[in-house]
Amino acid sequence: MDFLKNIMITLLAATLLWGCSDDDESIDGGETAISLSTYTIQADKNGGDITVTVTSSGDWRLAGVCDWAHPSVTSGKDGDVVTFTIDPNTLDEKRTATFKFFTGSAVAPLQVEVLPGYMIDLLSDDHLSISREENAIQIRLNTNVAEPVITYSEGGEEWLAFDRRSDFGGKVTLSFKAAKNETYKERSATITISSPLVTNPVNVSVNQKRTEAIIPETDVLMYDLSARTISFKVRYNVEYTASIVQGDEWMTAQSVSQPQVGDDGLTTVTLTYTLSGATDTRGGLVWITNTDNTLISEVVVVQKDPDAELVNIPDQKLRELVVKNNWALSIAGSQCIILEAGRNATTLSNSSYYSQLTDLTGIENFPNLTSLNLGYCTNMKKLDISGLHKVESLSVSSVGYCEEYNLGDNPIRSFNAGGVYGYLSVESLKFSSSKLESLDLSLISWYASYDNVTSIDVSECPMLTTLNANRSGKVKTLYLKKGQDIPNLIKNDATTIVYK
Protein backbone atom coordinates (compact mmCIF):
# COMPACT_ATOMS: atom_id res chain seq x y z
CA MET A 1 0.00 0.00 0.00
CA ASP A 2 2.84 2.44 0.86
CA PHE A 3 4.52 1.54 -2.43
CA LEU A 4 1.36 2.48 -4.43
CA LYS A 5 1.01 5.67 -2.47
CA ASN A 6 4.58 6.68 -3.35
CA ILE A 7 3.89 5.99 -7.03
CA MET A 8 0.75 8.21 -6.99
CA ILE A 9 2.66 11.07 -5.33
CA THR A 10 5.41 10.76 -7.95
CA LEU A 11 2.88 10.84 -10.85
CA LEU A 12 1.08 13.85 -9.39
CA ALA A 13 4.32 15.76 -9.09
CA ALA A 14 5.22 14.92 -12.68
CA THR A 15 1.81 16.12 -13.90
CA LEU A 16 2.24 19.42 -12.12
CA LEU A 17 5.65 19.85 -13.68
CA TRP A 18 4.30 19.09 -17.19
CA GLY A 19 1.24 21.40 -16.93
CA CYS A 20 0.94 25.08 -17.82
CA SER A 21 2.40 27.57 -15.38
CA ASP A 22 2.55 31.32 -14.98
CA ASP A 23 6.04 30.98 -13.49
CA ASP A 24 8.47 32.74 -15.82
CA GLU A 25 11.66 32.22 -13.77
CA SER A 26 13.97 29.20 -13.46
CA ILE A 27 13.97 27.33 -10.19
CA ASP A 28 17.46 26.59 -8.79
CA GLY A 29 17.77 23.01 -7.63
CA GLY A 30 20.63 23.61 -5.22
CA GLU A 31 23.61 21.76 -6.74
CA THR A 32 21.87 21.68 -10.17
CA ALA A 33 20.98 24.63 -12.37
CA ILE A 34 19.32 25.29 -15.73
CA SER A 35 18.61 28.45 -17.70
CA LEU A 36 17.34 29.44 -21.16
CA SER A 37 18.39 32.05 -23.68
CA THR A 38 14.80 33.35 -23.43
CA TYR A 39 11.87 32.41 -21.23
CA THR A 40 9.21 33.63 -23.68
CA ILE A 41 9.02 33.02 -27.39
CA GLN A 42 6.45 34.76 -29.59
CA ALA A 43 5.31 34.11 -33.11
CA ASP A 44 2.93 36.01 -35.32
CA LYS A 45 -0.25 34.42 -36.69
CA ASN A 46 1.75 32.66 -39.41
CA GLY A 47 3.81 30.69 -36.88
CA GLY A 48 7.34 29.52 -37.84
CA ASP A 49 10.55 28.18 -36.27
CA ILE A 50 12.03 29.76 -33.13
CA THR A 51 15.17 28.52 -31.31
CA VAL A 52 16.02 28.40 -27.60
CA THR A 53 19.52 27.69 -26.19
CA VAL A 54 19.68 25.63 -22.97
CA THR A 55 22.43 26.14 -20.39
CA SER A 56 22.45 23.43 -17.72
CA SER A 57 24.65 21.82 -15.08
CA GLY A 58 23.86 18.42 -16.48
CA ASP A 59 21.69 16.53 -18.91
CA TRP A 60 18.23 18.03 -19.26
CA ARG A 61 14.80 16.90 -20.36
CA LEU A 62 11.79 18.83 -21.71
CA ALA A 63 8.21 18.42 -20.44
CA GLY A 64 5.04 19.76 -22.02
CA VAL A 65 2.56 18.72 -24.66
CA CYS A 66 0.97 21.12 -27.18
CA ASP A 67 -0.72 20.31 -30.47
CA TRP A 68 0.44 23.49 -32.20
CA ALA A 69 3.99 23.98 -30.83
CA HIS A 70 6.48 21.21 -31.66
CA PRO A 71 10.02 21.04 -30.10
CA SER A 72 12.78 19.49 -32.20
CA VAL A 73 14.09 17.45 -29.23
CA THR A 74 12.86 16.66 -25.72
CA SER A 75 16.25 16.06 -24.06
CA GLY A 76 19.85 17.15 -24.41
CA LYS A 77 23.08 18.49 -22.92
CA ASP A 78 24.38 21.87 -21.85
CA GLY A 79 24.53 24.30 -24.78
CA ASP A 80 22.09 22.43 -26.97
CA VAL A 81 19.67 24.41 -29.15
CA VAL A 82 15.97 23.45 -29.30
CA THR A 83 13.89 24.55 -32.30
CA PHE A 84 10.18 25.05 -31.73
CA THR A 85 8.01 24.78 -34.84
CA ILE A 86 4.87 26.88 -34.38
CA ASP A 87 1.72 26.17 -36.41
CA PRO A 88 -0.24 29.13 -37.92
CA ASN A 89 -2.93 30.54 -35.61
CA THR A 90 -6.35 30.41 -37.29
CA LEU A 91 -8.22 31.54 -34.20
CA ASP A 92 -9.26 35.11 -33.36
CA GLU A 93 -7.47 35.02 -29.99
CA LYS A 94 -3.90 34.66 -28.75
CA ARG A 95 -2.63 31.12 -28.09
CA THR A 96 -0.36 30.38 -25.11
CA ALA A 97 1.38 27.26 -23.80
CA THR A 98 4.10 26.49 -21.24
CA PHE A 99 6.99 24.03 -21.57
CA LYS A 100 9.45 23.17 -18.74
CA PHE A 101 13.13 22.21 -18.91
CA PHE A 102 14.47 20.00 -16.04
CA THR A 103 17.89 19.02 -14.83
CA GLY A 104 17.91 17.31 -11.50
CA SER A 105 15.61 19.33 -9.29
CA ALA A 106 16.14 22.60 -11.25
CA VAL A 107 13.34 23.84 -13.51
CA ALA A 108 13.24 26.50 -16.28
CA PRO A 109 9.79 27.36 -17.73
CA LEU A 110 9.31 28.50 -21.33
CA GLN A 111 6.19 30.50 -22.35
CA VAL A 112 5.13 30.09 -25.99
CA GLU A 113 2.78 32.69 -27.47
CA VAL A 114 1.20 32.99 -30.91
CA LEU A 115 -0.63 36.13 -31.90
CA PRO A 116 -4.20 35.71 -33.16
CA GLY A 117 -5.23 35.27 -36.73
CA TYR A 118 -6.52 38.82 -37.39
CA MET A 119 -9.62 39.21 -39.49
CA ILE A 120 -12.10 41.77 -40.77
CA ASP A 121 -15.26 40.10 -42.03
CA LEU A 122 -18.30 42.06 -43.25
CA LEU A 123 -21.61 41.09 -41.65
CA SER A 124 -23.83 43.78 -43.23
CA ASP A 125 -24.56 44.69 -46.87
CA ASP A 126 -21.68 45.67 -49.12
CA HIS A 127 -23.91 47.99 -51.20
CA LEU A 128 -25.85 50.78 -49.50
CA SER A 129 -28.33 53.17 -51.13
CA ILE A 130 -29.32 56.22 -49.10
CA SER A 131 -31.58 59.23 -49.57
CA ARG A 132 -30.36 62.74 -50.36
CA GLU A 133 -30.92 63.79 -46.74
CA GLU A 134 -28.33 63.57 -43.99
CA ASN A 135 -27.97 59.89 -43.14
CA ALA A 136 -26.43 57.63 -40.52
CA ILE A 137 -24.67 54.59 -41.99
CA GLN A 138 -23.75 51.50 -40.03
CA ILE A 139 -21.31 48.79 -41.10
CA ARG A 140 -21.26 45.61 -39.00
CA LEU A 141 -18.07 43.57 -38.78
CA ASN A 142 -16.63 40.48 -37.23
CA THR A 143 -13.13 41.68 -36.41
CA ASN A 144 -10.47 41.57 -33.74
CA VAL A 145 -8.49 44.48 -35.17
CA ALA A 146 -8.47 47.24 -32.58
CA GLU A 147 -7.91 50.16 -34.96
CA PRO A 148 -8.76 49.39 -38.59
CA VAL A 149 -7.78 51.89 -41.25
CA ILE A 150 -10.73 53.68 -42.90
CA THR A 151 -10.38 55.28 -46.33
CA TYR A 152 -12.81 56.65 -48.91
CA SER A 153 -12.72 56.55 -52.69
CA GLU A 154 -13.98 59.02 -55.30
CA GLY A 155 -13.93 62.06 -53.02
CA GLY A 156 -16.08 60.32 -50.41
CA GLU A 157 -14.21 62.09 -47.60
CA GLU A 158 -16.02 65.28 -48.67
CA TRP A 159 -19.42 63.92 -47.61
CA LEU A 160 -18.73 60.79 -45.57
CA ALA A 161 -17.24 60.89 -42.07
CA PHE A 162 -16.52 58.25 -39.44
CA ASP A 163 -18.59 58.80 -36.30
CA ARG A 164 -17.98 56.08 -33.72
CA ARG A 165 -17.24 52.42 -33.05
CA SER A 166 -19.49 50.17 -30.95
CA ASP A 167 -18.54 46.72 -29.66
CA PHE A 168 -21.34 44.43 -28.56
CA GLY A 169 -21.75 40.67 -28.38
CA GLY A 170 -18.33 40.08 -29.87
CA LYS A 171 -19.23 42.07 -33.00
CA VAL A 172 -18.22 45.55 -34.09
CA THR A 173 -20.39 48.31 -35.58
CA LEU A 174 -18.74 51.24 -37.33
CA SER A 175 -21.04 54.25 -37.67
CA PHE A 176 -20.62 56.95 -40.32
CA LYS A 177 -22.42 60.16 -41.17
CA ALA A 178 -23.37 61.07 -44.73
CA ALA A 179 -23.98 64.75 -45.40
CA LYS A 180 -27.06 65.92 -47.27
CA ASN A 181 -26.61 65.84 -51.03
CA GLU A 182 -27.31 69.38 -52.18
CA THR A 183 -26.23 68.65 -55.74
CA TYR A 184 -28.35 67.54 -58.66
CA LYS A 185 -26.28 64.42 -59.34
CA GLU A 186 -26.22 61.11 -57.56
CA ARG A 187 -22.89 60.45 -55.88
CA SER A 188 -21.06 57.29 -54.93
CA ALA A 189 -18.06 56.35 -52.86
CA THR A 190 -16.49 53.21 -51.45
CA ILE A 191 -15.64 52.91 -47.77
CA THR A 192 -12.60 50.66 -47.37
CA ILE A 193 -11.83 49.12 -43.97
CA SER A 194 -8.38 47.56 -43.84
CA SER A 195 -5.40 46.77 -41.61
CA PRO A 196 -1.78 45.71 -42.11
CA LEU A 197 -2.73 42.69 -40.01
CA VAL A 198 -5.17 41.28 -42.60
CA THR A 199 -4.78 40.40 -46.24
CA ASN A 200 -8.18 41.28 -47.64
CA PRO A 201 -9.89 44.60 -46.82
CA VAL A 202 -13.64 45.14 -46.58
CA ASN A 203 -15.22 47.37 -49.23
CA VAL A 204 -18.70 48.91 -48.86
CA SER A 205 -20.10 51.01 -51.69
CA VAL A 206 -22.44 53.87 -50.78
CA ASN A 207 -24.76 55.48 -53.33
CA GLN A 208 -26.60 58.66 -52.36
CA LYS A 209 -29.58 59.94 -54.30
CA ARG A 210 -29.51 63.37 -55.89
CA THR A 211 -31.59 66.43 -55.16
CA GLU A 212 -34.45 66.25 -57.62
CA ALA A 213 -35.32 69.58 -59.12
CA ILE A 214 -37.51 71.50 -61.54
CA ILE A 215 -36.20 75.07 -61.64
CA PRO A 216 -37.85 77.71 -63.84
CA GLU A 217 -35.74 80.79 -64.46
CA THR A 218 -38.54 82.87 -62.92
CA ASP A 219 -41.81 82.22 -61.12
CA VAL A 220 -43.61 85.32 -62.46
CA LEU A 221 -43.80 86.73 -65.97
CA MET A 222 -45.64 90.04 -66.31
CA TYR A 223 -46.63 91.79 -69.52
CA ASP A 224 -48.99 94.46 -70.74
CA LEU A 225 -52.34 93.60 -72.32
CA SER A 226 -51.12 93.21 -75.91
CA ALA A 227 -50.78 89.89 -77.74
CA ARG A 228 -47.30 88.36 -77.83
CA THR A 229 -45.14 85.24 -77.78
CA ILE A 230 -43.35 84.50 -74.52
CA SER A 231 -40.73 81.98 -73.44
CA PHE A 232 -38.82 80.96 -70.35
CA LYS A 233 -36.19 78.37 -69.47
CA VAL A 234 -36.59 75.42 -67.14
CA ARG A 235 -33.81 73.31 -65.66
CA TYR A 236 -34.61 69.81 -64.41
CA ASN A 237 -33.25 66.33 -63.66
CA VAL A 238 -36.51 64.36 -63.54
CA GLU A 239 -39.10 63.27 -66.04
CA TYR A 240 -41.51 66.21 -66.24
CA THR A 241 -44.77 67.43 -67.75
CA ALA A 242 -45.58 71.09 -68.46
CA SER A 243 -49.23 72.07 -68.56
CA ILE A 244 -51.39 75.20 -68.46
CA VAL A 245 -53.66 74.84 -65.45
CA GLN A 246 -55.16 78.33 -65.65
CA GLY A 247 -55.59 80.64 -68.63
CA ASP A 248 -55.51 78.03 -71.37
CA GLU A 249 -58.16 79.96 -73.31
CA TRP A 250 -55.73 82.82 -73.99
CA MET A 251 -52.32 81.20 -73.40
CA THR A 252 -51.81 78.62 -76.16
CA ALA A 253 -49.38 76.91 -78.53
CA GLN A 254 -46.99 75.43 -75.99
CA SER A 255 -43.69 74.29 -77.50
CA VAL A 256 -40.53 72.86 -75.99
CA SER A 257 -36.98 73.31 -77.31
CA GLN A 258 -34.34 70.62 -77.67
CA PRO A 259 -32.88 69.67 -74.25
CA GLN A 260 -29.39 70.87 -73.37
CA VAL A 261 -27.57 68.67 -70.84
CA GLY A 262 -25.43 70.54 -68.30
CA ASP A 263 -22.43 69.47 -66.25
CA ASP A 264 -24.30 70.14 -63.00
CA GLY A 265 -26.75 67.28 -63.57
CA LEU A 266 -29.52 69.55 -64.85
CA THR A 267 -30.97 69.65 -68.34
CA THR A 268 -32.32 72.92 -69.77
CA VAL A 269 -35.27 73.45 -72.12
CA THR A 270 -37.12 76.56 -73.24
CA LEU A 271 -40.95 76.62 -73.03
CA THR A 272 -42.74 78.94 -75.44
CA TYR A 273 -46.37 80.15 -75.42
CA THR A 274 -48.59 82.49 -77.42
CA LEU A 275 -50.67 85.06 -75.51
CA SER A 276 -53.74 86.68 -77.04
CA GLY A 277 -54.59 90.33 -76.36
CA ALA A 278 -56.50 91.22 -73.13
CA THR A 279 -58.84 94.02 -72.07
CA ASP A 280 -58.24 93.70 -68.31
CA THR A 281 -55.68 92.23 -65.91
CA ARG A 282 -55.65 88.45 -66.01
CA GLY A 283 -53.36 85.69 -64.93
CA GLY A 284 -52.43 82.24 -66.12
CA LEU A 285 -50.58 79.44 -64.42
CA VAL A 286 -48.14 76.92 -65.84
CA TRP A 287 -47.28 73.85 -63.81
CA ILE A 288 -44.11 71.89 -64.45
CA THR A 289 -44.39 68.61 -62.50
CA ASN A 290 -42.64 65.30 -62.23
CA THR A 291 -44.52 62.16 -63.22
CA ASP A 292 -46.01 61.45 -59.77
CA ASN A 293 -46.77 65.12 -58.99
CA THR A 294 -44.59 65.16 -55.89
CA LEU A 295 -42.49 67.99 -57.31
CA ILE A 296 -44.35 71.03 -58.67
CA SER A 297 -42.98 74.32 -59.93
CA GLU A 298 -45.33 77.16 -60.82
CA VAL A 299 -44.87 79.96 -63.30
CA VAL A 300 -47.46 82.73 -63.12
CA VAL A 301 -48.09 84.58 -66.39
CA VAL A 302 -49.79 87.96 -65.98
CA GLN A 303 -51.22 90.36 -68.50
CA LYS A 304 -51.56 93.49 -66.40
CA ASP A 305 -53.56 96.64 -66.82
CA PRO A 306 -51.10 99.50 -66.28
CA ASP A 307 -53.43 100.93 -63.63
CA ALA A 308 -53.58 97.71 -61.60
CA GLU A 309 -51.61 97.83 -58.36
CA LEU A 310 -49.75 95.19 -56.41
CA VAL A 311 -51.21 94.64 -52.95
CA ASN A 312 -49.82 92.90 -49.88
CA ILE A 313 -51.56 89.85 -48.40
CA PRO A 314 -49.02 88.52 -45.88
CA ASP A 315 -51.11 85.68 -44.44
CA GLN A 316 -50.32 82.63 -46.56
CA LYS A 317 -53.68 80.94 -45.91
CA LEU A 318 -55.67 84.03 -46.83
CA ARG A 319 -53.54 84.48 -49.92
CA GLU A 320 -54.08 80.86 -50.96
CA LEU A 321 -57.82 81.24 -50.37
CA VAL A 322 -58.28 84.28 -52.59
CA VAL A 323 -56.02 82.83 -55.29
CA LYS A 324 -58.03 79.61 -55.20
CA ASN A 325 -61.21 81.68 -55.61
CA ASN A 326 -59.60 83.35 -58.67
CA TRP A 327 -59.93 86.69 -56.90
CA ALA A 328 -56.22 87.46 -57.07
CA LEU A 329 -52.92 86.49 -58.65
CA SER A 330 -50.00 85.72 -56.40
CA ILE A 331 -46.98 87.45 -57.90
CA ALA A 332 -44.00 87.15 -55.59
CA GLY A 333 -43.86 86.53 -51.87
CA SER A 334 -46.94 88.18 -50.37
CA GLN A 335 -47.59 90.44 -53.36
CA CYS A 336 -50.81 89.95 -55.32
CA ILE A 337 -52.82 91.54 -58.10
CA ILE A 338 -56.55 91.75 -57.41
CA LEU A 339 -58.68 90.53 -60.30
CA GLU A 340 -62.12 91.74 -61.32
CA ALA A 341 -63.73 88.67 -59.72
CA GLY A 342 -62.12 89.64 -56.40
CA ARG A 343 -63.23 93.24 -56.64
CA ASN A 344 -66.81 92.08 -57.20
CA ALA A 345 -66.86 89.23 -54.65
CA THR A 346 -69.45 89.48 -51.86
CA THR A 347 -68.90 86.35 -49.75
CA LEU A 348 -65.69 84.95 -48.26
CA SER A 349 -65.93 81.51 -46.70
CA ASN A 350 -63.11 79.56 -45.07
CA SER A 351 -64.36 76.25 -43.72
CA SER A 352 -61.16 74.21 -43.54
CA TYR A 353 -59.61 73.62 -40.13
CA TYR A 354 -56.24 73.26 -41.86
CA SER A 355 -56.42 76.73 -43.44
CA GLN A 356 -56.60 78.80 -40.29
CA LEU A 357 -56.23 82.55 -40.77
CA THR A 358 -53.99 84.61 -38.51
CA ASP A 359 -53.84 88.01 -40.26
CA LEU A 360 -56.54 89.77 -42.30
CA THR A 361 -54.21 92.37 -43.79
CA GLY A 362 -55.14 92.80 -47.46
CA ILE A 363 -58.80 91.82 -47.09
CA GLU A 364 -59.69 95.48 -47.67
CA ASN A 365 -58.80 94.95 -51.35
CA PHE A 366 -62.07 93.04 -51.80
CA PRO A 367 -64.34 96.04 -51.19
CA ASN A 368 -67.73 94.46 -51.95
CA LEU A 369 -67.60 91.74 -49.32
CA THR A 370 -70.80 91.63 -47.27
CA SER A 371 -70.43 88.26 -45.56
CA LEU A 372 -67.35 86.82 -43.84
CA ASN A 373 -67.08 83.27 -42.52
CA LEU A 374 -63.51 83.21 -41.30
CA GLY A 375 -63.62 79.69 -39.89
CA TYR A 376 -61.05 78.60 -37.33
CA CYS A 377 -58.68 81.39 -36.24
CA THR A 378 -56.96 79.83 -33.26
CA ASN A 379 -53.77 81.92 -33.43
CA MET A 380 -55.26 85.21 -34.60
CA LYS A 381 -54.49 88.00 -32.11
CA LYS A 382 -56.32 90.86 -33.83
CA LEU A 383 -59.43 90.61 -36.02
CA ASP A 384 -59.46 93.79 -38.07
CA ILE A 385 -61.94 94.36 -40.91
CA SER A 386 -62.02 98.15 -40.58
CA GLY A 387 -60.76 98.45 -44.16
CA LEU A 388 -64.07 97.00 -45.38
CA HIS A 389 -67.33 98.92 -45.23
CA LYS A 390 -70.13 96.62 -46.39
CA VAL A 391 -69.85 93.56 -44.14
CA GLU A 392 -73.19 92.72 -42.52
CA SER A 393 -72.43 89.19 -41.31
CA LEU A 394 -69.30 88.03 -39.51
CA SER A 395 -68.63 84.60 -38.01
CA VAL A 396 -65.44 83.17 -36.55
CA SER A 397 -64.50 80.08 -34.54
CA SER A 398 -61.88 79.11 -31.97
CA VAL A 399 -60.45 82.56 -31.34
CA GLY A 400 -58.72 81.62 -28.11
CA TYR A 401 -55.93 84.20 -28.45
CA CYS A 402 -57.73 87.12 -30.06
CA GLU A 403 -57.55 90.26 -27.90
CA GLU A 404 -58.90 92.91 -30.25
CA TYR A 405 -61.84 93.11 -32.66
CA ASN A 406 -62.01 96.13 -34.96
CA LEU A 407 -65.23 96.04 -36.98
CA GLY A 408 -64.87 99.62 -38.22
CA ASP A 409 -68.03 101.10 -39.77
CA ASN A 410 -69.27 97.82 -41.20
CA PRO A 411 -73.05 97.44 -40.69
CA ILE A 412 -72.68 94.57 -38.25
CA ARG A 413 -75.43 95.10 -35.68
CA SER A 414 -74.95 92.00 -33.57
CA PHE A 415 -71.90 89.89 -32.79
CA ASN A 416 -71.14 86.83 -30.67
CA ALA A 417 -67.41 86.43 -30.07
CA GLY A 418 -66.89 82.70 -30.08
CA GLY A 419 -70.16 81.57 -28.47
CA VAL A 420 -70.91 80.42 -24.94
CA TYR A 421 -68.20 77.74 -25.26
CA GLY A 422 -65.53 80.23 -26.35
CA TYR A 423 -63.27 80.54 -23.32
CA LEU A 424 -60.11 82.54 -23.97
CA SER A 425 -56.44 82.28 -23.06
CA VAL A 426 -55.94 86.07 -23.14
CA GLU A 427 -56.55 88.46 -20.24
CA SER A 428 -58.02 91.44 -22.11
CA LEU A 429 -60.71 91.97 -24.74
CA LYS A 430 -61.30 95.12 -26.76
CA PHE A 431 -64.06 95.88 -29.32
CA SER A 432 -64.31 98.79 -31.75
CA SER A 433 -67.36 99.39 -33.97
CA SER A 434 -69.38 102.43 -34.96
CA LYS A 435 -72.47 100.32 -35.80
CA LEU A 436 -72.49 97.46 -33.31
CA GLU A 437 -75.63 97.41 -31.15
CA SER A 438 -75.53 93.98 -29.46
CA LEU A 439 -72.49 92.07 -28.20
CA ASP A 440 -72.62 88.69 -26.47
CA LEU A 441 -69.48 87.71 -24.55
CA SER A 442 -71.11 85.30 -22.11
CA LEU A 443 -69.89 81.84 -21.23
CA ILE A 444 -71.75 78.94 -19.74
CA SER A 445 -70.59 78.28 -16.20
CA TRP A 446 -68.83 75.00 -16.98
CA TYR A 447 -66.41 76.72 -19.40
CA ALA A 448 -66.06 79.96 -17.45
CA SER A 449 -63.55 78.34 -15.12
CA TYR A 450 -61.14 77.92 -18.06
CA ASP A 451 -61.43 81.55 -19.10
CA ASN A 452 -58.55 83.99 -18.41
CA VAL A 453 -60.22 87.30 -19.31
CA THR A 454 -59.86 89.93 -16.57
CA SER A 455 -60.89 93.09 -18.48
CA ILE A 456 -63.30 94.02 -21.27
CA ASP A 457 -63.16 97.30 -23.19
CA VAL A 458 -66.19 98.42 -25.27
CA SER A 459 -65.50 102.15 -24.97
CA GLU A 460 -65.23 102.43 -28.78
CA CYS A 461 -68.68 100.96 -29.44
CA PRO A 462 -70.91 104.07 -29.14
CA MET A 463 -74.07 102.40 -30.52
CA LEU A 464 -73.96 99.47 -28.11
CA THR A 465 -77.25 98.99 -26.25
CA THR A 466 -77.00 95.32 -25.28
CA LEU A 467 -73.96 93.72 -23.69
CA ASN A 468 -73.69 90.39 -21.95
CA ALA A 469 -70.28 90.44 -20.23
CA ASN A 470 -71.05 87.68 -17.76
CA ARG A 471 -68.01 85.42 -18.22
CA SER A 472 -66.61 84.65 -14.78
CA GLY A 473 -65.59 86.26 -11.52
CA LYS A 474 -62.14 86.76 -13.05
CA VAL A 475 -63.45 89.75 -15.06
CA LYS A 476 -62.63 92.63 -12.72
CA THR A 477 -62.98 95.60 -15.07
CA LEU A 478 -65.42 96.71 -17.76
CA TYR A 479 -64.24 99.82 -19.61
CA LEU A 480 -66.84 102.24 -20.99
CA LYS A 481 -66.46 105.69 -22.51
CA LYS A 482 -67.37 108.52 -20.19
CA GLY A 483 -71.10 109.22 -20.68
CA GLN A 484 -71.66 105.86 -22.40
CA ASP A 485 -74.85 104.10 -21.31
CA ILE A 486 -75.72 100.49 -22.10
CA PRO A 487 -79.37 99.91 -21.11
CA ASN A 488 -79.18 96.12 -21.34
CA LEU A 489 -76.03 95.25 -19.47
CA ILE A 490 -75.34 91.90 -17.82
CA LYS A 491 -72.13 91.38 -15.90
CA ASN A 492 -70.68 89.45 -12.99
CA ASP A 493 -70.91 91.01 -9.52
CA ALA A 494 -67.14 90.97 -9.35
CA THR A 495 -66.88 93.23 -12.44
CA THR A 496 -66.42 96.98 -11.87
CA ILE A 497 -67.25 99.58 -14.51
CA VAL A 498 -64.46 102.06 -15.21
CA TYR A 499 -65.06 105.07 -17.45
CA LYS A 500 -62.32 106.25 -19.77
Side-chain angles (χ1 to χ4, degrees), residues 366-377:
F366 306 95
N368 287 302
L369 288 173
T370 60
S371 176
L372 297 179
N373 176 11
L374 301 179
Y376 295 93
C377 297

Side-chain angles (χ1 to χ4, degrees), residues 4-57:
L4 291 174
K5 183 183 294 185
N6 290 335
I7 291 176
M8 292 298 292
I9 292 172
T10 302
L11 290 174
L12 178 60
T15 302
L16 291 173
L17 290 173
W18 279 61
C20 293
S21 170
D22 292 333
D23 189 359
D24 60 356
E25 298 179 357
S26 62
I27 301 174
D28 193 345
E31 296 180 356
T32 58
I34 188 167
S35 63
L36 308 175
S37 57
T38 179
Y39 293 95
T40 302
I41 59 175
Q42 291 181 315
D44 63 19
K45 68 173 183 176
N46 297 314
D49 293 336
I50 301 176
T51 60
V52 177
T53 301
V54 182
T55 301
S56 64
S57 59

Side-chain angles (χ1 to χ4, degrees), residues 358-386:
T358 59
D359 185 354
L360 297 181
T361 300
I363 200 170
E364 65 275 7
N365 295 290
F366 306 95
N368 287 302
L369 288 173
T370 60
S371 176
L372 297 179
N373 176 11
L374 301 179
Y376 295 93
C377 297
T378 302
N379 295 311
M380 183 178 289
K381 295 182 178 179
K382 181 177 181 179
L383 193 158
D384 188 352
I385 59 169
S386 60

Side-chain angles (χ1 to χ4, degrees), residues 423-440:
Y423 58 89
L424 302 177
S425 299
V426 297
E427 295 183 356
S428 64
L429 276 176
K430 181 178 180 179
F431 292 83
S432 302
S433 172
S434 63
K435 303 288 180 64
L436 189 64
E437 298 175 0
S438 177
L439 177 60
D440 189 353

Side-chain angles (χ1 to χ4, degrees), residues 56 90 110 147 150 154 159 188 220 249 253 280 298 310 440 466 480 482 495:
S56 64
T90 59
L110 175 68
E147 296 183 1
I150 299 172
E154 305 167 45
W159 55 281
S188 299
V220 178
E249 70 278 7
D280 195 5
E298 294 183 347
L310 291 177
D440 189 353
T466 299
L480 302 180
K482 189 174 182 179
T495 304

Side-chain angles (χ1 to χ4, degrees), residues 325-460:
N325 290 344
N326 293 324
W327 293 0
L329 299 173
S330 181
I331 301 303
S334 61
Q335 298 297 303
C336 295
I337 293 177
I338 306 302
L339 301 177
E340 184 178 3
R343 292 192 294 269
N344 295 331
T346 59
T347 300
L348 176 69
S349 180
N350 179 40
S351 58
S352 173
Y353 177 83
Y354 300 101
S355 296
Q356 296 196 24
L357 307 181
T358 59
D359 185 354
L360 297 181
T361 300
I363 200 170
E364 65 275 7
N365 295 290
F366 306 95
N368 287 302
L369 288 173
T370 60
S371 176
L372 297 179
N373 176 11
L374 301 179
Y376 295 93
C377 297
T378 302
N379 295 311
M380 183 178 289
K381 295 182 178 179
K382 181 177 181 179
L383 193 158
D384 188 352
I385 59 169
S386 60
L388 297 173
H389 306 284
K390 298 181 180 181
V391 178
E392 300 173 353
S393 173
L394 170 65
S395 63
V396 63
S397 301
S398 188
V399 281
Y401 293 92
C402 191
E403 298 179 298
E404 185 175 349
Y405 296 78
N406 189 348
L407 309 185
D409 62 358
N410 285 282
I412 299 173
R413 308 298 179 184
S414 178
F415 184 60
N416 187 327
V420 294
Y421 304 101
Y423 58 89
L424 302 177
S425 299
V426 297
E427 295 183 356
S428 64
L429 276 176
K430 181 178 180 179
F431 292 83
S432 302
S433 172
S434 63
K435 303 288 180 64
L436 189 64
E437 298 175 0
S438 177
L439 177 60
D440 189 353
L441 302 177
S442 64
L443 289 177
I444 62 173
S445 59
W446 176 261
Y447 291 92
S449 60
Y450 297 102
D451 194 55
N452 290 323
V453 175
T454 61
S455 69
I456 298 172
D457 187 345
V458 293
S459 62
E460 295 183 18

